[in-house]
Amino acid sequence: MTRNTTFFSFNVRPWVFWPPFILLIVAVTSSIIFPKSFIAVFKNLQQLILSHFSLGFSWVSLLMTLLTAVAIFSPLGNYKIGGQNAIPRLKRISWFAIVLCTTIAVGILFWGSAEPLSHYLFPPEFKGFEPNSEAAKSFALGALYFHWGFTPYAIYAVPALVFALMYYSGKSNFSLSIMLRPILGSYPNKFWVAGLDMFSLFALVTGMAAALGAGILSLSGGFLAFFPQLDPTFLTVIITLAILLTFIISASTGIEKGIKNLSLFNLGFFFLIAILFVIFGEKAHIFNSIGTGFIEYFSNFTDLSLQLSGAGNSWTYDWSTFNFAMWMAWAPMTALFLGKIAIGRTVREFLLVNWFLPALFCLIWMGIFGGTTVDFASNDSEVYKGLFLNSGPESIIYQVFEDMGYFKMFAQLFILGIFISYVTAADSSTDALASISMKKQDGDPFRSDTNLKVIWGVLIGFLSWVMITFSGIDGVRILSVIGGLPALFFLLLVSVCLILILISPKKYLGNQ
C-alpha cells in the first residue's frame, strides 16, 4: 500500500489522533450552532487561565531563555546531533530559511505595526506613561522586542534541542515523550506517551488556528483597502480556501522540495520587503528606532519577564501572557519538526540557527516596521487610533503604506508575503502533526503522511475561520491562550530535562 493511502487503512495512533480530532470537530460544530454561547464559554476559560497561570507563562519563558544562553556557551555546545558521523541533509541557508519561516508564520507581518501602536496609544497603567508620549513611544518598541525576540525563540529552541538530542541518540519512536527521557527513563509508560502527544497535538492545532486567524485578518485588511466594497465575511471564506488549496499542493511535495523551496522564497521575500521599506522610508528614524528598541528591551527585560510591576494587569494578560501562550502552543509540535531537520549539526550551530539569528532578524524587522508605525502615529495619533478601534489592528500596516506614499507597491508585496508565510508555516507544522499521529513510520523522519497533513490543515482552517468570524481578533487570543496551557506544563518538564543534560551530557548522550 502506498504512503498516500495510509490514512484510509487507519495508520494512526488512536489515542493520539482521535481525542483531539473529535474534540475539535465538536468545538467547530458547537461554534456554528451556538456561536454566542461557544465564544462566551471560551472567553471565560481564557480568563480563568490568565488569572491563574499568567505568572507561570512568564517565569517558564524566562527559565528557557536563561537555559538557552547557558547551553550555547557550555561544553554541550560541541556535541553533534546524531553523532560524529551524522551528515546534515540541508544546506545552512535552506536550514535557516525553514527555521525562520516555520516559527514566525504571519506573526511579524501582522503584529509588527499593530502591537507597538497599541502600546503607544494605550500604554500599561503600571508604567504611568501618558498615551502618545515619547516615553510611551520608547516603551512600545521595547515591549515589542520583548515579545518577539530572544525569549520567544528560546521557547522553541529548548524543546527542539532536547528532542533532537534524544531522538538521534538512539532508536526512538517519533514522540514527544522522548524529550522527557531524562526524567521518565528510556521506557516510559504508554499512557504518558500517548497523553503527552495528544495534549500537545491539540495545543498546536489551536495555536495554528490562531496564527491562521491573524493571517486571514491581515489579508482581508489588505484586500478591503483595495476593494472596500467587498463583503468581509465572504472575503475571509475565499482567503481561507485559497490558503488551504495552496497548502495542500505544497504538502504533497515533502520537506526537501516543497517546504525548502517555499521557505527560501519566503526568506528572500522578507529581505526584499525590509530593504525596500528602509530605502523608501525615513532611514534615520528607522535606525534610531532599532537602537531605541534594543535599549528599552534590555532595560525592561527583568521587569516584564518576572512581572515585577505588571502582575494581574490587563496589559500583561493581553500582551505578554498572550504572546508567550501563543509561542508555547506551537512549541512542542514545532520542536519535533525543528529537531528532526537538525541532524548533523552541533548544539552550538543549532542554537545559533534556531535561537540567536532568527530572534535577531525579528528584532530588526520589528524595529523597522514598528518604529515607522509609531513615528507616523505620533504625527497623526487620532487617525491611527480611529483605525485601530474601528477597523481593527489588521488595518494599521496599510495606513503606514499610505503615509509612506507607496501604498500600492507595499500593499501588494505584503499581501503576497502574508499568504506565502502562512502556507510555509502550515506545511512544516502539519508535517509534525502528521508524523506524531502516524502509527507506522517508513524509516525516514523527513517523510510523513500527506493525507494526515491535509486533514489537519483543513480542520485548522475551518476552526480559524469560525473563531475570527464570530470573535475577530479576540478569537485569535482565545485560541492562543487555551492552546498554550497544556504546553506550559510540558515545557517546564522539558526545561528540567535540559538542565539534567547540561549537568551530565555523557550520561544521556554518550561520549563524542
Side-chain angles (χ1 to χ4, degrees):
M1 187 172 291
T2 64
R3 181 168 60 95
N4 288 332
T5 60
T6 51
F7 175 73
F8 299 103
S9 62
F10 295 98
N11 178 30
V12 295
R13 298 166 62 196
W15 288 104
V16 173
F17 177 82
W18 289 113
F21 183 81
I22 293 172
L23 180 60
L24 289 164
I25 291 293
V26 170
V28 170
T29 304
S30 301
S31 67
I32 296 172
I33 300 174
F34 312 106
K36 291 184 179 179
S37 299
F38 177 81
I39 294 297
V41 169
F42 270 63
K43 280 187 175 180
N44 289 334
L45 180 58
Q46 177 202 32
Q47 189 58 41
L48 185 68
I49 293 170
L50 289 173
S51 60
H52 288 84
F53 298 101
S54 179
L55 282 173
F57 283 112
S58 292
W59 291 356
V60 172
S61 299
L62 176 61
L63 171 63
M64 298 171 82
T65 306
L66 297 176
L67 283 175
T68 308
V70 170
I72 202 169
F73 295 109
S74 73
L76 181 65
N78 298 320
Y79 273 71
K80 194 173 186 180
I81 297 169
Q84 288 298 328
N85 297 323
I87 300 173
R89 292 179 59 170
L90 295 165
K91 293 181 179 179
R92 282 189 175 87
I93 185 63
S94 299
W95 182 32
F96 174 70
I98 291 174
V99 169
L100 183 68
C101 297
T102 295
T103 51
I104 60 177
V106 296
I108 63 172
L109 298 172
F110 183 82
W111 294 110
S113 292
E115 181 177 338
L117 178 64
S118 178
H119 302 330
Y120 174 65
L121 296 175
F122 313 103
E125 296 175 0
F126 60 85
K127 284 293 184 181
F129 299 140
E130 288 293 324
N132 311 338
S133 64
E134 283 299 313
K137 182 177 178 181
S138 298
F139 173 80
L141 292 172
L144 181 68
Y145 274 38
F146 175 67
H147 294 146
W148 292 94
F150 296 108
T151 298
Y153 269 97
I155 293 173
Y156 281 147
V158 167
L161 174 61
V162 173
F163 176 79
L165 291 171
M166 294 292 100
Y167 182 68
Y168 286 114
S169 65
K171 295 291 183 180
S172 303
N173 292 325
F174 200 84
S175 170
L176 286 161
S177 64
I178 295 169
M179 300 183 209
L180 302 184
R181 187 180 292 168
I183 294 176
L184 300 179
S186 299
Y187 302 99
N189 186 286
K190 291 182 179 180
F191 172 79
W192 283 104
V193 173
L196 284 171
D197 291 347
M198 178 183 68
F199 280 112
S200 293
L201 189 150
F202 177 80
L204 179 59
V205 169
T206 56
M208 286 184 64
L212 177 56
I216 294 171
L217 289 173
S218 288
L219 287 169
S220 64
F223 281 110
L224 288 172
F226 278 105
F227 310 104
Q229 71 276 12
L230 291 175
D231 178 66
T233 302
F234 176 74
L235 181 60
T236 58
V237 173
I238 298 300
I239 290 170
T240 304
L241 291 175
I243 289 175
L244 290 177
L245 179 61
T246 309
F247 153 72
I248 289 170
I249 295 171
S250 175
S252 63
T253 57
I255 294 175
E256 291 167 299
K257 291 183 180 178
I259 294 178
K260 184 190 75 173
N261 293 333
L262 262 179
S263 297
L264 286 170
F265 181 80
N266 207 6
L267 179 65
F269 211 80
F270 282 141
F271 276 107
L272 174 63
I273 293 177
I275 291 170
L276 288 176
F277 213 79
V278 173
I279 290 174
F280 292 105
E282 294 288 340
K283 299 177 185 62
H285 287 172
I286 288 173
F287 292 133
N288 182 62
S289 295
I290 293 173
T292 300
F294 275 106
I295 293 170
E296 289 292 318
Y297 166 63
F298 288 113
S299 65
N300 285 288
F301 179 79
T302 303
D303 183 11
L304 295 180
S305 294
L306 296 174
Q307 294 190 23
L308 296 178
S309 58
N313 187 273
S314 60
W315 183 92
T316 302
Y317 289 166
D318 288 343
W319 292 106
S320 295
T321 306
F322 159 65
N323 274 286
F324 294 149
M326 178 175 64
W327 289 82
M328 286 186 181
W330 280 67
M333 281 291 175
T334 305
L336 302 183
F337 179 79
L338 298 178
K340 78 177 183 178
I341 66 173
I343 187 171
R345 305 294 184 182
T346 66
V347 169
R348 191 163 290 114
E349 277 184 291
F350 178 91
L351 292 175
L352 282 172
V353 170
N354 284 267
W355 177 59
F356 185 79
L357 292 178
L360 185 63
F361 176 88
C362 278
L363 293 179
I364 294 173
W365 176 282
M366 291 301 191
I368 293 171
F369 286 86
T372 301
T373 300
V374 292
D375 276 337
F376 282 138
S378 64
N379 296 326
D380 201 348
S381 61
E382 289 305 313
V383 169
Y384 276 85
K385 185 176 182 178
L387 272 176
F388 190 88
L389 294 175
N390 300 319
S391 300
E394 63 270 21
S395 63
I396 300 304
I397 186 62
Y398 300 102
Q399 181 62 42
V400 173
F401 296 153
E402 186 74 42
D403 287 348
M404 287 184 69
Y406 300 95
F407 172 79
K408 189 172 183 180
M409 177 183 71
F410 278 115
Q412 290 174 342
L413 286 173
F414 202 74
I415 289 170
L416 181 58
I418 292 170
F419 187 86
I420 297 170
S421 294
Y422 187 79
V423 171
T424 308
D427 205 346
S428 52
S429 296
T430 52
D431 181 273
L433 288 172
S435 296
I436 207 166
S437 301
M438 292 165 58
K439 183 186 299 181
K440 297 178 182 178
Q441 304 281 339
D442 64 4
D444 184 356
F446 274 56
R447 298 180 65 186
S448 59
D449 191 306
T450 300
N451 286 311
L452 283 174
K453 291 177 68 175
V454 171
I455 287 169
W456 283 120
V458 170
L459 180 61
I460 289 164
F462 195 47
L463 175 63
S464 178
W465 178 80
V466 168
M467 292 300 287
I468 64 168
T469 298
F470 294 109
S471 193
I473 193 62
D474 286 337
V476 174
R477 294 182 184 278
I478 290 168
L479 286 172
S480 297
V481 172
I482 292 173
L485 181 62
L488 169 65
F489 297 101
F490 176 72
L491 292 173
L492 176 59
L493 293 175
V494 173
S495 299
V496 173
C497 290
L498 180 56
I499 292 172
L500 294 174
I501 295 171
L502 284 166
I503 293 172
S504 182
K506 291 181 180 179
K507 178 179 178 180
Y508 301 103
L509 308 176
N511 294 312
Q512 283 197 22

